[in-house]
């Protein structure tokens, strides 16, 4: 990822997570889905058991200072969902659904980002590794639930 450059108009419009602000053209684009990572993970986890690798960009970690993160945290975002750049998963279909009631209330298209909507939590092992500065994190398990 490129380092944030305030003289770059594209960086100024969407850099430092500004694409999540309601005055962003990207944010307002109805054709783009804004599913939250916790929602996506919950949907996948109901139907599949997965082993995943999440990657955090070191430039993003440096850019997500306390002052940058605070407004997003007030809107319900977690550091992990702002920092994870990619998440690759290998999954197997479950023999039976696991806790499908977790799907109730999930908003997959344009959930509120004003703090009134809270996405389900990401797996604790993923959160822990993202918080302790791991760049690549393997999580999930091979045991059937």
């Amino acid at each position: 990822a490129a380092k944030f450059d305030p003289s770059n108009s594209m960086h100024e419009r969407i850099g430092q997570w500004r694409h999540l602000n309601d005055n962003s053209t990207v944010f307002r684009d109805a054709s783009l889905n804004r599913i939250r990572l916790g929602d996506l993970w919950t949907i996948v986890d109901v139907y599949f058991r997965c082993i995943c690798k999440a990657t955090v960009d070191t430039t993003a970690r440096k850019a997500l200072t306390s002052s940058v993160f605070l407004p997003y945290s007030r809107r319900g975002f977690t550091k992990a969902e702002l920092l994870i750049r990619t998440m690759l998963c290998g999954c197997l279909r479950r023999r039976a659904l696991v806790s499908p009631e977790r799907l109730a209330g999930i908003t997959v298209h344009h959930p509120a980002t004003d703090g009134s909507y809270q996405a389900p939590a990401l797996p604790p092992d993923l959160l822990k590794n993202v918080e302790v500065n791991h760049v690549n994190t393997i999580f999930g398990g091979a045991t059937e639930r």
Side-chain angles (χ1 to χ4, degrees), residues 26-75:
V26 174
F27 181 88
R28 293 189 316 258
D29 189 335
S31 69
L32 295 177
N33 195 346
R34 288 195 313 258
I35 190 166
R36 302 277 296 269
L37 192 52
D39 292 324
L40 182 60
W41 176 254
T42 299
I43 293 167
V44 169
D45 191 51
V46 167
Y47 295 97
F48 301 93
R49 70 186 155 93
C50 303
I51 296 177
C52 302
K53 177 183 178 182
T55 303
V56 173
D57 184 273
T58 54
T59 305
R61 187 180 296 286
K62 290 176 187 172
L64 192 61
T65 62
S66 296
S67 61
V68 170
F69 177 61
L70 184 61
Y72 295 104
S73 69
R74 289 181 178 149
R75 293 171 50 202

